[in-house]
Amino acid sequence: MAHAIRAVHAHTERTRERAAEQAPGERVPAERVSAASVPDLDAVVWSDDAGRPLRLIWAGRRWRVTDRPTVITAPASWWWRVDPDGTDLDLAPAECVGWRFQATGEHGETRVFDIRDTGDPRRWRVVKTYS
């Protein structure tokens, strides 16, 4: 895992170096500037009193949530003991397992993030981003 994280950081640094070599005003594709194509990176997330994300640090960049976050739910973990075949999933109580929201980075880039709970209230797993 540590090797994979070092590889991501090295890739991100090389990408930023290439971006710095671009002519001023030349647009660099977002996927070359951030680690968005690399799933499962942790983010530090700040939230309001209700638990909704407000801002985050992800891939070494600051992001501010710019829309109303949507809860991602899944059947309660204990439900599988009651319904092991999953035939009554429509009856299962749901629990919040993550959030989907739009956020804007400090340089104006906007993305939609899907984040999942890691068990640490401030650290979340970024499972997918959309440009």
Side-chain angles (χ1 to χ4, degrees):
M1 178 77 162
H3 174 70
I5 292 171
R6 281 194 301 271
V8 167
H9 289 296
H11 168 74
T12 303
E13 281 305 309
R14 284 192 307 274
T15 302
R16 286 190 179 128
E17 288 168 8
R18 281 192 303 253
E21 295 168 1
Q22 299 282 329
E26 185 177 346
R27 180 150 168 68
V28 179
E31 63 274 5
R32 287 188 36 212
V33 176
S34 70
S37 60
V38 181
D40 295 340
L41 291 178
D42 283 349
V44 177
V45 177
W46 285 263
S47 55
D48 64 12
D49 291 337
R52 288 183 299 265
L54 296 172
R55 57 192 171 100
L56 67 150
I57 295 178
W58 174 71
R61 296 175 61 194
R62 297 172 195 263
W63 300 81
R64 187 162 300 280
V65 176
T66 53
D67 76 345
R68 184 176 177 89
T70 302
V71 174
I72 298 173
T73 61
S77 57
W78 56 265
W79 182 258
W80 299 107
R81 291 190 306 268
V82 176
D83 183 26
D85 298 329
T87 55
D88 291 322
L89 282 178
D90 57 326
L91 303 175
E95 60 186 0
C96 173
V97 295
W99 295 94
R100 175 175 283 176
F101 55 85
Q102 174 183 295
T104 302
E106 54 196 344
H107 299 295
E109 177 186 3
T110 299
R111 292 186 169 275
V112 173
F113 288 83
D114 284 355
I115 63 173
R116 294 287 179 142
D117 186 11
T118 63
D120 180 343
R122 293 228 10 227
R123 198 164 286 281
W124 292 74
R125 176 92 13 154
V126 175
V127 293
K128 185 117 179 162
T129 66
Y130 308 87
S131 301

